[in-house]
Amino acid sequence: MAHTSIINLPTAPAIVGNVALWKPSRTAVLSNYYYMKLLQWCGLPAGVINFVPCTGVDMSKYVVSHPKMAGFHFTGSTGVFQSVWKQVGENIASYANYPRLVGETGGKDFIFAHNTADIEPLVAAIVRGSFEYQGQKCSACSRAFVPASIWPVVEKRLKEQTATLKVGDVQEFDTFMAAVIDKASFETCKGYIDRAAASPECEFVAGGTYDDSKGWFVQPTIIRCKTPTYESMVKEIFGPIVSIYVYEDDKLDETLAICDSASPYALTGAIFAQDREVIVKMEKALRNASGNFYINDKCTGAVVGQQPFGGARASGTNDKAGTALNMIRWVSAHTVKESFCPSSAIAYPYMTEA
C-alpha cells in the first residue's frame, strides 16, 4: 500500500468491526511499522489489526484464497489488483461470503489548460504537482495539455521554476526533491528518459538526467511530446517526469477528447481557465476522466474529510477512501422487522367479493 493510504486501508474495516491483516509494501515497511506501533500505543487491542510483512505470493496463497476472507482493501498497481480480482473469481465458490474488493490503483493524472488560464498558477501547479514527493504519488501530475498561444511563456516559466528546485538530502529543509524510492523505480524513469532522448517525437524542456552513483536520483524532467499518445503521455511512470502536449487553440474539443480517451486511467485531473463558460465545457468533457477533479488548482493534495479520494476505469473501484462511502463497504447490513400487530389474515382484501 502507498504511504498516503496507510491510515485508511487497515483501519477502515477494523473500525466497523472486522479483523484486518495489514500487508505493507516492501518499500514502505518501516514507516508502516511505526504507524502500527502508534496504533498500539493509542490502545488498539491485540489481534484487531495484524501487521504482516510478507511477499505478495504468500499473501495470495494464504490470505486471498482463504474461505474466511471477507474483503480486500488495496492501494497499489493496476496489474496486482487485477491479478487479485482474477484469483478471487477463481476461488469464488469456496468463500463463506462474496469478498468485497476495493482498490485504488494507477493513474495518469493530467492538467489541461485553456488559453485564458492564469500563467503563474498554471506553472506552479505543473511543477509542484509533478515533482513533489519525486512524483511518487498516485495523484501526481504526469501529463499536461497547453494551448500553443500561451506555450512560449509557460515554457519559459517552467524552465525557470524547475531550475530552482533543489534535489538532494531530505534532511535539509530547502530540499524539494529526494531520490526515487528504489532501483526499480530509477530504472523505470531512466528507461523513459532514454527513450525520449532517442525519439524524434520528444524534446526536453527541463531535466532529462539521472545519477545512481549515490542513491537513485532523477532530476525533475519535463518532456514536450509532439503527439498526445507518445508512451510517456499515456503510461503511468510514478516518478519525477511530466509530459506536455502543446495543442492548437482551435483544437480544444479534439484535444479534450484525446485527454479523456488516450489513457485507461481516471484518477485525478485539473483544468485551468478563467472563462466560466469554458470551465463548464471542460468539466463536462472530462467528467469521466478522473474521480477527483480540480479547477484552477493542481491535481494532487486531496484532504481527507473534505475531498473523498478515488478514481474509476483502470484506476480502481472509486470507493472514496477516507469517507463514509468507503466505510459502508466493510459492513454487512442486517435488517430487522418486528410487528406489534401481527395479521392473522390469509386472504388479501381484493380476493373477497364486495
Side-chain angles (χ1 to χ4, degrees):
M1 66 184 65
H3 283 221
T4 53
S5 301
I6 61 173
I7 296 175
N8 182 69
L9 267 66
T11 55
I15 287 171
V16 290
N18 300 286
V19 170
L21 299 183
W22 179 1
K23 178 205 171 297
S25 166
R26 63 178 179 80
T27 53
V29 174
L30 183 61
S31 61
N32 287 208
Y33 169 76
Y34 279 121
Y35 183 72
M36 181 65 193
K37 297 296 287 185
L38 177 62
L39 289 175
Q40 293 176 323
W41 180 82
C42 291
L44 177 72
V48 175
I49 296 177
N50 302 274
F51 190 72
V52 187
C54 64
T55 65
V57 172
D58 285 339
M59 177 60 67
S60 296
K61 181 178 179 181
Y62 297 106
V63 178
V64 176
S65 62
H66 196 281
K68 292 293 185 179
M69 190 190 81
F72 189 79
H73 202 190
F74 177 79
T75 288
S77 74
T78 299
V80 171
F81 190 53
Q82 289 176 347
S83 70
V84 169
W85 200 294
K86 180 180 180 181
Q87 184 180 357
V88 169
E90 291 171 346
N91 288 277
I92 198 67
S94 65
Y95 294 115
N97 298 281
Y98 291 110
R100 312 286 177 88
L101 303 180
V102 173
E104 191 263 285
T105 59
K108 192 63 181 175
D109 311 304
F110 63 86
I111 290 177
F112 198 113
H114 183 253
N115 58 24
T116 62
D118 281 350
I119 301 299
E120 291 306 313
L122 169 62
V123 169
I126 294 175
V127 173
R128 177 181 275 190
S130 302
F131 301 136
E132 63 182 358
Y133 298 100
Q134 299 75 244
Q136 296 174 131
K137 296 204 297 183
C138 51
S139 60
C141 176
S142 189
R143 55 182 175 138
F145 299 82
V146 180
S149 61
I150 65 172
W151 171 245
V153 64
V154 170
E155 179 183 29
K156 177 177 181 292
R157 292 298 290 141
L158 284 173
K159 290 179 177 179
E160 293 171 347
Q161 293 285 39
T162 305
T164 68
L165 303 181
K166 178 180 176 181
V167 180
D169 190 344
V170 293
Q171 296 178 93
E172 299 171 3
F173 286 172
D174 61 341
T175 296
F176 190 88
M177 261 182 52
V180 294
I181 196 166
D182 59 11
K183 183 177 181 180
S185 178
F186 176 85
E187 291 296 332
T188 296
C189 293
K190 178 178 179 295
Y192 277 99
I193 290 172
D194 288 348
R195 291 191 295 274
S199 173
E201 294 186 40
C202 303
E203 65 178 66
F204 291 104
V205 174
T209 61
Y210 44 78
D211 182 6
D212 63 346
S213 59
K214 184 179 181 181
W216 298 293
F217 287 92
V218 179
Q219 290 297 313
T221 297
I222 301 174
I223 305 172
R224 179 182 175 183
C225 302
K226 294 181 180 179
T227 60
T229 54
Y230 178 74
E231 64 164 0
S232 66
M233 285 290 299
V234 297
K235 294 183 179 180
E236 184 181 40
I237 302 175
F238 218 70
I241 301 171
V242 60
S243 298
I244 296 179
Y245 175 68
V246 179
Y247 70 93
E248 297 300 323
D249 291 45
D250 61 356
K251 300 290 186 181
L252 175 63
D253 291 349
E254 177 183 321
T255 311
L256 284 169
I258 291 171
C259 178
D260 178 48
S261 63
S263 169
Y265 300 105
L267 190 54
T268 75
I271 59 172
F272 276 78
Q274 289 302 303
D275 185 314
R276 179 53 56 179
E277 290 186 0
V278 168
I279 288 174
V280 172
K281 176 181 181 177
M282 294 171 73
E283 190 278 332
K284 183 177 181 180
L286 298 172
R287 65 178 304 176
N288 295 316
S290 68
N292 280 60
F293 192 77
Y294 300 81
I295 300 172
N296 291 319
D297 199 357
K298 59 186 175 66
C299 59
T300 181
V303 179
V304 173
Q306 297 179 29
Q307 296 164 272
F309 189 81
R313 295 181 177 172
S315 291
T317 56
N318 203 13
D319 283 285
K320 299 302 184 190
T323 70
L325 293 171
N326 184 281
M327 299 285 279
I328 290 171
R329 294 287 282 143
W330 312 114
V331 175
S332 184
H334 180 63
T335 302
V336 177
K337 175 190 176 183
E338 179 179 359
S339 180
F340 293 99
C341 298
S343 175
S344 58
I346 296 177
Y348 290 95
Y350 74 88
M351 301 172 67
T352 303
E353 290 186 10

